[in-house]
Amino acid sequence: MSIVTGIRSAVLSDVVSIAKIHVACWREVYSFMPKEVQAKRDYKFRLDQWLRWFDALPNDEALFVLLDIDEVVGFAVAKANKDPDIDVLGEFHACYILPHYRGGQAGPVAMMALAEFLRDNGLWPACVWAFKHNPYRRIYPAIGCKPEVFRDRHIAGFALPEIGYRAPDYPVLMKRLNRMCVSAAQRQTESLQTPHPRLLVHG
């Protein structure tokens, strides 16, 4: 597992990296989706999507990129909630991270940045949507999110089951995310301090 070294607001020059990560993560994490859906969400679609975002720069949305030194290895989006099916003000809209950066601090750090933006901009309480068959949605109950809406999302003519979660109170969420960050840092430190068996030198 590689380490994320920072997070910052995205800039236009990040758009190619964001689009590539978006496509790669959809194809890997959402491998359960029909090929027709994936074909509709190709690189050109994502590049156009994010170019439009930078052109509009909506003031009720935030786009962050996760970094390994200067390389963009993930991105995360928060926005005002405009979905009438769940009664909250904000939404954790997306968080996509390259596979070898998952499982450490990357996810919690991204979620904390999104939560802070939503809270500071009067967009709390908040929700997060996840496809039912997304293997990574287990993180949401782990940080206190409660399933509230069960429905199908229609993409390219296909009905894909999804779940809408209500985020816990802001202090509760941040405490749990911070705890996850600390735990991930401790695991990383222990991993670096533990000699690999094949590297042991016997006198």
PDB file of all heavy atoms in Angstrom, residues 38-52:
ATOM      1  N   GLN A  38     -20.690   0.986 -18.699  1.00  0.00           N
ATOM      2  CA  GLN A  38     -19.294   1.398 -18.680  1.00  0.00           C
ATOM      3  C   GLN A  38     -18.903   2.107 -19.976  1.00  0.00           C
ATOM      4  O   GLN A  38     -18.135   3.078 -19.959  1.00  0.00           O
ATOM      5  CB  GLN A  38     -18.386   0.180 -18.445  1.00  0.00           C
ATOM      6  CG  GLN A  38     -18.547  -0.470 -17.084  1.00  0.00           C
ATOM      7  CD  GLN A  38     -17.938   0.354 -15.957  1.00  0.00           C
ATOM      8  OE1 GLN A  38     -17.472   1.465 -16.163  1.00  0.00           O
ATOM      9  NE2 GLN A  38     -17.951  -0.188 -14.746  1.00  0.00           N
ATOM     10  N   ALA A  39     -19.446   1.630 -21.092  1.00  0.00           N
ATOM     11  CA  ALA A  39     -19.125   2.248 -22.379  1.00  0.00           C
ATOM     12  C   ALA A  39     -19.618   3.689 -22.447  1.00  0.00           C
ATOM     13  O   ALA A  39     -19.004   4.540 -23.102  1.00  0.00           O
ATOM     14  CB  ALA A  39     -19.730   1.432 -23.516  1.00  0.00           C
ATOM     15  N   LYS A  40     -20.716   3.967 -21.759  1.00  0.00           N
ATOM     16  CA  LYS A  40     -21.261   5.330 -21.733  1.00  0.00           C
ATOM     17  C   LYS A  40     -20.451   6.244 -20.815  1.00  0.00           C
ATOM     18  O   LYS A  40     -20.617   7.463 -20.841  1.00  0.00           O
ATOM     19  CB  LYS A  40     -22.713   5.300 -21.253  1.00  0.00           C
ATOM     20  CG  LYS A  40     -23.674   4.597 -22.197  1.00  0.00           C
ATOM     21  CD  LYS A  40     -23.974   5.445 -23.408  1.00  0.00           C
ATOM     22  CE  LYS A  40     -25.066   4.795 -24.265  1.00  0.00           C
ATOM     23  NZ  LYS A  40     -25.364   5.603 -25.462  1.00  0.00           N
ATOM     24  N   ARG A  41     -19.595   5.670 -19.988  1.00  0.00           N
ATOM     25  CA  ARG A  41     -18.801   6.452 -19.038  1.00  0.00           C
ATOM     26  C   ARG A  41     -17.306   6.296 -19.359  1.00  0.00           C
ATOM     27  O   ARG A  41     -16.495   5.994 -18.511  1.00  0.00           O
ATOM     28  CB  ARG A  41     -19.093   5.989 -17.594  1.00  0.00           C
ATOM     29  CG  ARG A  41     -20.560   6.190 -17.170  1.00  0.00           C
ATOM     30  CD  ARG A  41     -20.896   7.674 -17.109  1.00  0.00           C
ATOM     31  NE  ARG A  41     -22.200   7.943 -16.516  1.00  0.00           N
ATOM     32  CZ  ARG A  41     -23.336   8.055 -17.201  1.00  0.00           C
ATOM     33  NH1 ARG A  41     -23.327   7.886 -18.522  1.00  0.00           N
ATOM     34  NH2 ARG A  41     -24.469   8.338 -16.593  1.00  0.00           N
ATOM     35  N   ASP A  42     -16.975   6.529 -20.625  1.00  0.00           N
ATOM     36  CA  ASP A  42     -15.600   6.367 -21.059  1.00  0.00           C
ATOM     37  C   ASP A  42     -14.782   7.633 -20.779  1.00  0.00           C
ATOM     38  O   ASP A  42     -15.270   8.592 -20.170  1.00  0.00           O
ATOM     39  CB  ASP A  42     -15.544   5.995 -22.543  1.00  0.00           C
ATOM     40  CG  ASP A  42     -16.157   7.077 -23.442  1.00  0.00           C
ATOM     41  OD1 ASP A  42     -16.556   8.154 -22.927  1.00  0.00           O
ATOM     42  OD2 ASP A  42     -16.247   6.839 -24.662  1.00  0.00           O
ATOM     43  N   TYR A  43     -13.530   7.629 -21.217  1.00  0.00           N
ATOM     44  CA  TYR A  43     -12.632   8.748 -20.923  1.00  0.00           C
ATOM     45  C   TYR A  43     -13.152  10.063 -21.494  1.00  0.00           C
ATOM     46  O   TYR A  43     -13.099  11.103 -20.815  1.00  0.00           O
ATOM     47  CB  TYR A  43     -11.242   8.449 -21.459  1.00  0.00           C
ATOM     48  CG  TYR A  43     -10.292   9.621 -21.323  1.00  0.00           C
ATOM     49  CD1 TYR A  43      -9.798  10.006 -20.075  1.00  0.00           C
ATOM     50  CD2 TYR A  43      -9.904  10.356 -22.446  1.00  0.00           C
ATOM     51  CE1 TYR A  43      -8.942  11.095 -19.945  1.00  0.00           C
ATOM     52  CE2 TYR A  43      -9.053  11.443 -22.317  1.00  0.00           C
ATOM     53  CZ  TYR A  43      -8.583  11.811 -21.070  1.00  0.00           C
ATOM     54  OH  TYR A  43      -7.751  12.894 -20.945  1.00  0.00           O
ATOM     55  N   LYS A  44     -13.662  10.050 -22.722  1.00  0.00           N
ATOM     56  CA  LYS A  44     -14.167  11.289 -23.328  1.00  0.00           C
ATOM     57  C   LYS A  44     -15.318  11.852 -22.497  1.00  0.00           C
ATOM     58  O   LYS A  44     -15.398  13.065 -22.256  1.00  0.00           O
ATOM     59  CB  LYS A  44     -14.618  11.047 -24.762  1.00  0.00           C
ATOM     60  CG  LYS A  44     -15.115  12.314 -25.465  1.00  0.00           C
ATOM     61  CD  LYS A  44     -15.562  12.048 -26.878  1.00  0.00           C
ATOM     62  CE  LYS A  44     -15.970  13.348 -27.565  1.00  0.00           C
ATOM     63  NZ  LYS A  44     -16.998  14.116 -26.833  1.00  0.00           N
ATOM     64  N   PHE A  45     -16.210  10.963 -22.051  1.00  0.00           N
ATOM     65  CA  PHE A  45     -17.347  11.407 -21.221  1.00  0.00           C
ATOM     66  C   PHE A  45     -16.835  12.069 -19.948  1.00  0.00           C
ATOM     67  O   PHE A  45     -17.297  13.151 -19.570  1.00  0.00           O
ATOM     68  CB  PHE A  45     -18.230  10.201 -20.889  1.00  0.00           C
ATOM     69  CG  PHE A  45     -19.388  10.531 -19.992  1.00  0.00           C
ATOM     70  CD1 PHE A  45     -20.629  10.837 -20.525  1.00  0.00           C
ATOM     71  CD2 PHE A  45     -19.250  10.537 -18.594  1.00  0.00           C
ATOM     72  CE1 PHE A  45     -21.704  11.147 -19.694  1.00  0.00           C
ATOM     73  CE2 PHE A  45     -20.309  10.852 -17.768  1.00  0.00           C
ATOM     74  CZ  PHE A  45     -21.547  11.156 -18.317  1.00  0.00           C
ATOM     75  N   ARG A  46     -15.881  11.434 -19.268  1.00  0.00           N
ATOM     76  CA  ARG A  46     -15.387  11.972 -17.998  1.00  0.00           C
ATOM     77  C   ARG A  46     -14.594  13.261 -18.214  1.00  0.00           C
ATOM     78  O   ARG A  46     -14.702  14.208 -17.415  1.00  0.00           O
ATOM     79  CB  ARG A  46     -14.531  10.935 -17.286  1.00  0.00           C
ATOM     80  CG  ARG A  46     -15.301   9.709 -16.833  1.00  0.00           C
ATOM     81  CD  ARG A  46     -16.480  10.067 -15.950  1.00  0.00           C
ATOM     82  NE  ARG A  46     -17.158   8.889 -15.430  1.00  0.00           N
ATOM     83  CZ  ARG A  46     -18.328   8.919 -14.804  1.00  0.00           C
ATOM     84  NH1 ARG A  46     -18.953  10.087 -14.634  1.00  0.00           N
ATOM     85  NH2 ARG A  46     -18.885   7.823 -14.345  1.00  0.00           N
ATOM     86  N   LEU A  47     -13.786  13.311 -19.266  1.00  0.00           N
ATOM     87  CA  LEU A  47     -13.024  14.532 -19.526  1.00  0.00           C
ATOM     88  C   LEU A  47     -13.974  15.701 -19.782  1.00  0.00           C
ATOM     89  O   LEU A  47     -13.799  16.792 -19.224  1.00  0.00           O
ATOM     90  CB  LEU A  47     -12.095  14.326 -20.714  1.00  0.00           C
ATOM     91  CG  LEU A  47     -11.155  15.497 -21.025  1.00  0.00           C
ATOM     92  CD1 LEU A  47     -10.192  15.747 -19.866  1.00  0.00           C
ATOM     93  CD2 LEU A  47     -10.383  15.231 -22.312  1.00  0.00           C
ATOM     94  N   ASP A  48     -14.995  15.480 -20.599  1.00  0.00           N
ATOM     95  CA  ASP A  48     -15.984  16.531 -20.867  1.00  0.00           C
ATOM     96  C   ASP A  48     -16.709  16.925 -19.585  1.00  0.00           C
ATOM     97  O   ASP A  48     -16.956  18.113 -19.340  1.00  0.00           O
ATOM     98  CB  ASP A  48     -17.003  16.065 -21.909  1.00  0.00           C
ATOM     99  CG  ASP A  48     -16.410  15.949 -23.296  1.00  0.00           C
ATOM    100  OD1 ASP A  48     -15.307  16.487 -23.520  1.00  0.00           O
ATOM    101  OD2 ASP A  48     -17.040  15.302 -24.161  1.00  0.00           O
ATOM    102  N   GLN A  49     -17.051  15.936 -18.755  1.00  0.00           N
ATOM    103  CA  GLN A  49     -17.743  16.200 -17.489  1.00  0.00           C
ATOM    104  C   GLN A  49     -16.933  17.126 -16.599  1.00  0.00           C
ATOM    105  O   GLN A  49     -17.453  18.118 -16.063  1.00  0.00           O
ATOM    106  CB  GLN A  49     -18.003  14.876 -16.764  1.00  0.00           C
ATOM    107  CG  GLN A  49     -18.569  15.039 -15.362  1.00  0.00           C
ATOM    108  CD  GLN A  49     -18.659  13.705 -14.608  1.00  0.00           C
ATOM    109  OE1 GLN A  49     -18.541  12.632 -15.202  1.00  0.00           O
ATOM    110  NE2 GLN A  49     -18.867  13.775 -13.302  1.00  0.00           N
ATOM    111  N   TRP A  50     -15.640  16.849 -16.449  1.00  0.00           N
ATOM    112  CA  TRP A  50     -14.828  17.636 -15.528  1.00  0.00           C
ATOM    113  C   TRP A  50     -14.386  18.968 -16.132  1.00  0.00           C
ATOM    114  O   TRP A  50     -14.201  19.948 -15.405  1.00  0.00           O
ATOM    115  CB  TRP A  50     -13.654  16.807 -15.029  1.00  0.00           C
ATOM    116  CG  TRP A  50     -14.142  15.701 -14.147  1.00  0.00           C
ATOM    117  CD1 TRP A  50     -14.134  14.363 -14.392  1.00  0.00           C
ATOM    118  CD2 TRP A  50     -14.808  15.868 -12.897  1.00  0.00           C
ATOM    119  NE1 TRP A  50     -14.739  13.681 -13.372  1.00  0.00           N
ATOM    120  CE2 TRP A  50     -15.165  14.576 -12.436  1.00  0.00           C
ATOM    121  CE3 TRP A  50     -15.142  16.973 -12.116  1.00  0.00           C
ATOM    122  CZ2 TRP A  50     -15.832  14.366 -11.230  1.00  0.00           C
ATOM    123  CZ3 TRP A  50     -15.805  16.779 -10.915  1.00  0.00           C
ATOM    124  CH2 TRP A  50     -16.141  15.489 -10.483  1.00  0.00           C
ATOM    125  N   LEU A  51     -14.264  19.026 -17.443  1.00  0.00           N
ATOM    126  CA  LEU A  51     -14.016  20.324 -18.074  1.00  0.00           C
ATOM    127  C   LEU A  51     -15.204  21.249 -17.867  1.00  0.00           C
ATOM    128  O   LEU A  51     -15.034  22.455 -17.614  1.00  0.00           O
ATOM    129  CB  LEU A  51     -13.728  20.150 -19.565  1.00  0.00           C
ATOM    130  CG  LEU A  51     -12.337  19.607 -19.918  1.00  0.00           C
ATOM    131  CD1 LEU A  51     -12.254  19.277 -21.401  1.00  0.00           C
ATOM    132  CD2 LEU A  51     -11.248  20.604 -19.520  1.00  0.00           C
ATOM    133  N   ARG A  52     -16.421  20.705 -17.954  1.00  0.00           N
ATOM    134  CA  ARG A  52     -17.619  21.516 -17.697  1.00  0.00           C
ATOM    135  C   ARG A  52     -17.652  21.981 -16.245  1.00  0.00           C
ATOM    136  O   ARG A  52     -18.067  23.095 -15.942  1.00  0.00           O
ATOM    137  CB  ARG A  52     -18.897  20.721 -18.023  1.00  0.00           C
ATOM    138  CG  ARG A  52     -19.134  20.495 -19.502  1.00  0.00           C
ATOM    139  CD  ARG A  52     -20.558  20.028 -19.784  1.00  0.00           C
ATOM    140  NE  ARG A  52     -20.923  18.845 -19.026  1.00  0.00           N
ATOM    141  CZ  ARG A  52     -20.712  17.599 -19.428  1.00  0.00           C
ATOM    142  NH1 ARG A  52     -20.118  17.370 -20.608  1.00  0.00           N
ATOM    143  NH2 ARG A  52     -21.084  16.564 -18.692  1.00  0.00           N
TER     144      ARG A  52
END
